[in-house]
Amino acid sequence: MPNHCRGISPSSGKPNIMRNLLILTGFFWLAYLPAGTAQQSAQFTQFTFNKLNFNPSLTGAYEALTFTGFYRHQWFGVEGAPRTGMVNVVAPLTRHNTVLGLAVSYDQIGMTQTGQATASYAYVMRMPSGLQLLGGLSGTVEYGRVDWSMADPGDLGDQLLGTGMENIWKPNFGAGLTLHNQSWYVGVSVPRFLKNALFRGPKDQQGSAADYREIYGMAGFDVGVSPGFRIRPGVLMSYNPAAPLDLGFDLSVLLMNQFILGAA
């Protein structure tokens, strides 16, 4: 969890905690009933730096105004090589037990560009034994663009190829729950509920991966090995009934509370 995770005393629990927990859990799983569908999401190797993209409730894990930035450029020298950028801003409103967040990301590979802006809201429920239950909601606007002038088709008569510039805008929303303390966290989420994939090809027939909501599970912990040296392993799982189970493992090392080394 972030360095800014809230510390909660055992006396901060309230009588209506279980009622609120049941309401949040009920809302979350009712929203997952199989009547709806959604697209698969882009994956990040170091997901620990972009948890808000997968679970909006993790917005509530921050207790200070926080800015996070990330940029990745793969395969230098290769035309159309992937480029990915992300900026997150989180602002807690401690008097109301709420935290607001904004995440903006951009991805480009070849002739395809995608981007999204997500606003998130998280409510923090204080529980005994230093635990916190975080419930989060998010609203997203996704953007996609295909520049068909960059295509190099093998068959110039292919009817599936477009022409010119194609621009697509789609809204979506998500929800998530996270239980955590200062040392560990575990969460579950559906970041996209609506069936409105940006790009849907002719092979994406009923029953394909694009026709199901994707569920994410995330867990991790923070262990102090010695003064100035901490390790933070984590795991991210995504489940789609029409696709193989996807598992990602992440390991970060915090040195002197200043520098982070990571592998995934």
Side-chain angles (χ1 to χ4, degrees):
M1 297 299 290
N3 292 331
H4 318 296
C5 282
R6 304 163 182 269
I8 303 301
S9 64
S11 62
S12 58
K14 297 182 180 180
N16 61 351
I17 284 177
M18 291 307 299
R19 184 190 65 185
N20 292 337
L21 174 60
L22 289 173
I23 292 174
L24 270 174
T25 306
F27 165 79
F28 180 81
W29 288 113
L30 281 174
Y32 182 69
L33 289 175
T37 58
Q39 69 193 72
Q40 288 184 287
S41 305
Q43 304 296 314
F44 288 77
T45 303
Q46 281 282 323
F47 65 84
T48 188
F49 297 111
N50 196 32
K51 296 186 183 81
L52 303 188
N53 187 64
F54 304 102
N55 190 334
S57 68
L58 284 164
T59 305
Y62 295 80
E63 65 175 6
L65 181 64
T66 304
F67 297 85
T68 305
F70 169 84
Y71 179 76
R72 177 178 63 194
H73 187 179
Q74 299 173 269
W75 311 337
F76 277 101
V78 177
E79 185 178 0
R83 301 186 184 189
T84 305
M86 173 272 295
V87 175
N88 291 339
V89 182
V90 178
L93 306 175
T94 53
R95 290 186 179 181
H96 304 284
N97 291 327
T98 60
V99 185
L100 305 178
L102 177 65
V104 179
S105 63
Y106 168 84
D107 188 69
Q108 178 178 0
I109 178 169
M111 64 182 189
T112 303
Q113 298 178 13
T114 59
Q116 70 178 50
T118 301
S120 57
Y121 166 89
Y123 182 77
V124 182
M125 287 189 288
R126 306 169 187 272
M127 306 176 69
S129 303
L131 292 174
Q132 290 183 330
L133 178 66
L134 313 176
L137 298 172
S138 64
T140 299
V141 176
E142 297 178 290
Y143 167 73
R145 184 176 75 171
V146 180
D147 185 356
W148 291 104
S149 65
M150 298 178 61
D152 186 16
D155 181 3
L156 295 178
D158 193 336
Q159 299 298 316
L160 296 178
L161 293 178
T163 57
M165 193 80 68
E166 181 180 357
N167 296 283
I168 307 167
W169 295 87
K170 296 289 181 67
N172 219 310
F173 70 98
L177 291 172
T178 298
L179 183 68
H180 83 107
N181 63 14
Q182 293 283 7
S183 301
W184 57 266
Y185 69 94
V186 59
V188 61
S189 64
V190 177
R192 290 173 176 81
F193 281 120
L194 301 182
K195 177 189 173 181
N196 58 356
L198 283 175
F199 305 109
R200 189 178 178 89
K203 293 184 179 181
D204 292 329
Q205 303 299 327
Q206 186 69 27
S208 70
D211 284 314
Y212 293 90
R213 292 189 180 109
E214 202 165 22
I215 307 176
Y216 284 89
M218 187 183 299
F221 57 93
D222 186 326
V223 178
V225 178
S226 64
F229 184 80
R230 307 188 67 86
I231 59 173
R232 296 173 173 174
V235 59
L236 175 69
M237 178 193 74
S238 63
Y239 170 72
N240 186 313
L245 185 68
D246 188 27
L247 285 173
F249 298 93
D250 186 287
L251 177 64
S252 298
V253 176
L254 179 64
L255 302 175
M256 298 178 290
N257 290 324
Q258 297 289 334
F259 305 100
I260 296 178
L261 302 177

